[in-house]
Amino acid sequence: MSLSLGIVERLNRARGDLRMGVPVVLTEEGAGAVAVAVEALEPGRLADLRLLGEPVLAITARRAETLKARVYDDDLARIELPDAAGIEWLRAVADPADDLRLPMKGPLRALRGGGAGLARAALALAKSAHLLPAAVLVPVADPLRLAAQHGLTVLPLEEARAELSRGSPLHPVVSARVPMVASQAGRVHVFRPEDGGEEHYAIEIGRPDRGLPVLARLHSACFTGDVLGSLKCDCGPQLRSALARMGEEGAGVLLYLNQEGRGIGLANKMRAYSLQDQGFDTVEANHRLGFEDDERDFRIGAGILRQMGFAAVRLLTNNPAKIRMMEANGIRVTERVPLHVGRNEFNAAYLATKAAKSGHLA
């Protein structure tokens, strides 16, 4: 029997640490660094980090592009912290909220040479914790000793890197009958990932034949659209229309995936909304925050469908990326069923951007 933590458990602990502003220790091939997310960093802890060595700020290439910082590491930039840089400076670099009011943050001196693996892992962790993708790292000579002294979580990247990129296995937890407006013959299945992340749900309408392509939709959680009836997107109408269509046909599966804001989390989605109010479109807003156009993992949906016994779907979607991902993960898409509902004066530009920049189909 062993009570020690495995790498998946340590990764989940590390995400929680970062959300609380607690540093984690990253190691790789003899090198090590203390890393902390900028969004949760406090002045006292920054001062303590400076006592350990020379801090470096890691930001994504998307954020660096906005700040006109040089990118020498492909997908990220490592920025040297000025001696006078404090929490306000760090947050201004990480968070685009005041970019238009205070556009000058530099000059930003980007580092080149040396490995960027530790910085890349810190950014991946911050993203997976739904924090702004910006982290302060301080290289340390004896990372394991430092971690033991301060009770910090240690992540050897030789073990952690594969876990950061792979989809966590999902396991069914429970299912129960739920009569709905769309269909009285409804059942909700709850799936829980091994890595401690958000649970995902499958809403099964009727009793779909596992031997036939099932009418299916991958629907990403949208608190503002699904719950509040926001007019800034078409998510709520798509959710209700998809369920109604399945109810009419007597069978279907809607996967409700907890990937709010295209996978960036509700807080970052609200930051993107604020940027849209400044005149940026939805893709530009994501880029200014340091994210890609779409950070969702559609492998989750394919995995749930396979566990439920489905091999083929008629997919309710306007997004060709969902079709490609289903096919790439062993779910055959026999038909794309268009889903055009919910257009209004508040989301017309948003829908146009999805078509022009994200390839959504008419």
Side-chain angles (χ1 to χ4, degrees), residues 275-286:
L275 292 172
Q276 290 171 35
D277 288 341
Q278 296 177 31
F280 301 103
D281 67 35
T282 181
V283 171
E284 292 166 343
N286 266 29

Side-chain angles (χ1 to χ4, degrees), residues 115-281:
L118 298 176
R120 186 169 290 111
L123 291 177
L125 272 173
K127 279 187 177 185
S128 66
H130 291 162
L131 298 169
L132 286 167
V136 172
L137 295 95
V138 181
V140 290
D142 193 346
L144 298 183
R145 181 184 176 192
L146 180 74
Q149 286 177 336
H150 299 281
L152 302 179
T153 302
V154 179
L155 293 178
L157 295 193
E158 293 84 357
E159 300 176 57
R161 185 173 286 109
E163 293 297 333
L164 280 169
S165 60
R166 83 176 181 119
S168 179
L170 289 154
H171 300 287
V173 178
V174 67
S175 68
R177 187 178 68 87
V178 180
M180 294 174 284
V181 172
S183 173
Q184 294 182 15
R187 178 169 288 272
V188 174
H189 304 257
V190 178
F191 290 83
R192 183 176 295 160
E194 285 184 1
D195 66 1
E198 294 94 342
E199 293 169 349
H200 305 282
Y201 319 122
I203 295 91
E204 185 174 12
I205 301 297
R207 294 183 177 274
D209 187 335
R210 267 54 176 176
L212 298 174
V214 63
L215 182 64
R217 169 151 178 84
L218 306 183
H219 187 89
S220 297
C222 178
F223 171 74
T224 50
D226 299 342
V227 178
L228 302 182
S230 168
L231 300 176
K232 286 179 68 72
C233 64
D234 55 346
C235 301
Q238 285 190 330
L239 172 65
R240 289 181 285 276
S241 178
L243 287 173
R245 176 74 178 266
M246 293 173 189
E248 291 167 3
E249 294 199 8
V253 176
L254 185 140
L255 303 181
Y256 197 87
L257 308 179
N258 276 309
Q259 301 191 104
E260 181 81 45
R262 296 184 190 169
I264 67 176
L266 183 59
N268 287 318
K269 175 180 167 180
M270 292 299 98
R271 291 183 171 113
Y273 274 13
S274 294
L275 292 172
Q276 290 171 35
D277 288 341
Q278 296 177 31
F280 301 103
D281 67 35

